[in-house]
Amino acid sequence: MSLAESASDRSVQHYELEKKILNQLLLLENEFRSHYHFAKKELAQQIEWINRLWVISQRYMHLTSTGLCCKHPQIYTSPIEESMLQEMAEKIKAIKNSNCRIYTSVKELREFCTIFEELCSQLDMAVESPFIIGDSSHKPLAFFIELVSDLFKYLHASILRQRYSVHLIEPSDCETVAKYKAVIEPSEDFEEYMSVGLTYCRCLIPKRIC
């Protein structure tokens, strides 16, 4: 095989790898958005549950602090208290189940990220192709490699924080309910960062090198 043929083969292999990476990047763009919209819907439902929890917690604290429930609170739990505790337990369980669904979605997202990272690790980044270095309309590949990593780390850390924080909710402490609500408040900055950053123009499909 001549040097020219060898160089041509390497060019073809490089092009094919760039094509795979671009396809995976476009797939990741959809997967990130899909997960984010799914998690956003779950958190909207969680906010409804946590708001209800806060109301019940306030009432529960009032009843137990005033001693209006019964004459012997240390040995007897009134039906009202039992009903409140049961509803709070149901809401907390629903939130935990919601977090499990979000966590499962994050794990699935991780698989797509891993494929992207493995493909990028095989690419010769020293080649100054339009796909790698970018141009006036397209960010360089290195930008997306870092972006994908940052986005996943943020989403993964968020769900871990939620799963931990929900275990701290106490029926007799409204502050713990308020703290969890603060944890799940949507971040407009992150949504904008993801929407603007994770957009790759599909017009820059790598062209085969002659």
Side-chain angles (χ1 to χ4, degrees), residues 87 92 100 155 157:
E87 184 175 356
I92 292 173
C100 284
L155 294 173

PDB file of all heavy atoms in Angstrom, residues 87 92 100 155 157:
ATOM      1  N   GLU A  87     -51.405  11.217  55.468  1.00  0.00           N
ATOM      2  CA  GLU A  87     -51.352  11.970  54.210  1.00  0.00           C
ATOM      3  C   GLU A  87     -49.939  12.472  53.938  1.00  0.00           C
ATOM      4  O   GLU A  87     -49.467  12.440  52.792  1.00  0.00           O
ATOM      5  CB  GLU A  87     -52.321  13.152  54.240  1.00  0.00           C
ATOM      6  CG  GLU A  87     -52.362  13.890  52.904  1.00  0.00           C
ATOM      7  CD  GLU A  87     -53.396  14.999  52.847  1.00  0.00           C
ATOM      8  OE1 GLU A  87     -54.157  15.162  53.824  1.00  0.00           O
ATOM      9  OE2 GLU A  87     -53.434  15.710  51.820  1.00  0.00           O
ATOM     10  N   ILE A  92     -44.823  12.133  50.879  1.00  0.00           N
ATOM     11  CA  ILE A  92     -43.372  11.914  50.889  1.00  0.00           C
ATOM     12  C   ILE A  92     -43.011  10.690  50.051  1.00  0.00           C
ATOM     13  O   ILE A  92     -42.027  10.695  49.301  1.00  0.00           O
ATOM     14  CB  ILE A  92     -42.857  11.757  52.338  1.00  0.00           C
ATOM     15  CG1 ILE A  92     -42.986  13.091  53.085  1.00  0.00           C
ATOM     16  CG2 ILE A  92     -41.407  11.287  52.349  1.00  0.00           C
ATOM     17  CD1 ILE A  92     -42.655  13.007  54.562  1.00  0.00           C
ATOM     18  N   CYS A 100     -37.081   8.615  42.105  1.00  0.00           N
ATOM     19  CA  CYS A 100     -36.569   7.360  41.538  1.00  0.00           C
ATOM     20  C   CYS A 100     -36.732   7.348  40.023  1.00  0.00           C
ATOM     21  O   CYS A 100     -35.844   6.882  39.296  1.00  0.00           O
ATOM     22  CB  CYS A 100     -37.294   6.166  42.155  1.00  0.00           C
ATOM     23  SG  CYS A 100     -36.770   5.771  43.834  1.00  0.00           S
ATOM     24  N   LEU A 155     -27.071  17.580  36.354  1.00  0.00           N
ATOM     25  CA  LEU A 155     -28.312  16.814  36.485  1.00  0.00           C
ATOM     26  C   LEU A 155     -28.156  15.673  37.485  1.00  0.00           C
ATOM     27  O   LEU A 155     -29.066  15.391  38.274  1.00  0.00           O
ATOM     28  CB  LEU A 155     -28.732  16.265  35.118  1.00  0.00           C
ATOM     29  CG  LEU A 155     -29.122  17.317  34.076  1.00  0.00           C
ATOM     30  CD1 LEU A 155     -29.339  16.661  32.716  1.00  0.00           C
ATOM     31  CD2 LEU A 155     -30.376  18.073  34.510  1.00  0.00           C
ATOM     32  N   ALA A 157     -25.971  15.537  40.018  1.00  0.00           N
ATOM     33  CA  ALA A 157     -25.854  16.108  41.365  1.00  0.00           C
ATOM     34  C   ALA A 157     -27.214  16.571  41.875  1.00  0.00           C
ATOM     35  O   ALA A 157     -27.524  16.431  43.068  1.00  0.00           O
ATOM     36  CB  ALA A 157     -24.868  17.276  41.352  1.00  0.00           C
TER      37      ALA A 157
END
